[in-house]
Amino acid sequence: MKTKVIFAFTVLLLAIAWQVEAQTINLPSPDFKKDMLGAFSPGDDLGITDKQKEELNEKNSGFLDSVVNIADGDESDDQKIAKITGLAKDQNSVFEDILGKDTVKKYRKKIKKQMGPLRRKYKLARFII
C-alpha cells in the first residue's frame, strides 16, 4: 500500500514538473529562425513579384529576430507571450500591406500548413502566427 502511495506521489510530481516546463518560453534552438523562415517562405504559387518576396523575407527575418530577442529576455512568460502575440498582429498587418487582402489570406493559410510540424518542435511557434 505504501509503495502505491509513493508511486502515485512521484507520478504527480513528474506531471507537475512537466506542466511547468511545457509553459516556459525559452530561447529556441539556433535552427528556429531558419526553420521559421522556411515556413514563412512565400514560394512561387502565390503569384507575387520578386520585389514582394524580397520585402516579405526581409520583414519576416526582422520579425523573427524580435521574437528571439523577446524569448531571450528577462520578462515573465506571460509578458513574453503578450509581446510576441502583439508582434504577430503587427506582422499580419505587414503581410497585408505587402500582399493585399486577397493574397494575404492564401499566404497565411500556406504558412499555417507549413508550420504544422514546427509547432510541435518549437513551443514558441504557437504564438507567432
Side-chain angles (χ1 to χ4, degrees):
M1 181 69 144
K2 199 174 196 180
T3 329
K4 289 181 181 180
V5 172
I6 292 172
F7 177 76
F9 183 73
T10 304
V11 169
L12 178 64
L13 286 177
L14 288 173
I16 291 170
W18 180 75
Q19 280 293 332
V20 169
E21 176 64 28
Q23 295 177 4
T24 303
I25 304 296
N26 293 324
L27 185 63
S29 76
D31 292 335
F32 174 79
K33 183 178 177 184
K34 182 183 97 182
D35 289 345
M36 290 296 118
L37 282 174
F40 278 63
S41 175
D44 295 328
D45 58 337
L46 294 175
I48 61 175
T49 67
D50 288 340
K51 183 179 177 186
Q52 287 172 308
K53 288 179 190 177
E54 185 178 317
E55 190 174 357
L56 271 176
N57 288 332
E58 287 176 19
K59 297 291 185 178
N60 288 337
S61 182
F63 165 69
L64 291 168
D65 286 338
S66 296
V67 168
V68 169
N69 286 338
I70 292 169
D72 193 31
D74 294 332
E75 294 93 359
S76 71
D77 285 348
D78 291 337
Q79 291 171 318
K80 288 178 183 181
I81 291 169
K83 284 183 175 183
I84 291 169
T85 54
L87 279 177
K89 287 179 184 177
D90 294 343
Q91 187 67 5
N92 286 323
S93 296
V94 169
F95 294 160
E96 194 169 305
D97 291 344
I98 296 170
L99 300 173
K101 286 189 180 205
D102 293 333
T103 307
V104 80
K105 289 178 185 177
K106 293 176 192 173
Y107 180 57
R108 286 182 47 76
K109 185 176 180 179
K110 182 178 181 169
I111 291 172
K112 284 182 180 183
K113 183 178 180 182
Q114 294 178 154
M115 282 187 60
L118 299 176
R119 287 185 182 145
R120 288 181 289 268
K121 185 176 180 181
Y122 302 112
K123 296 173 195 172
L124 192 55
R126 293 181 229 156
F127 305 108
I128 64 172
I129 189 72

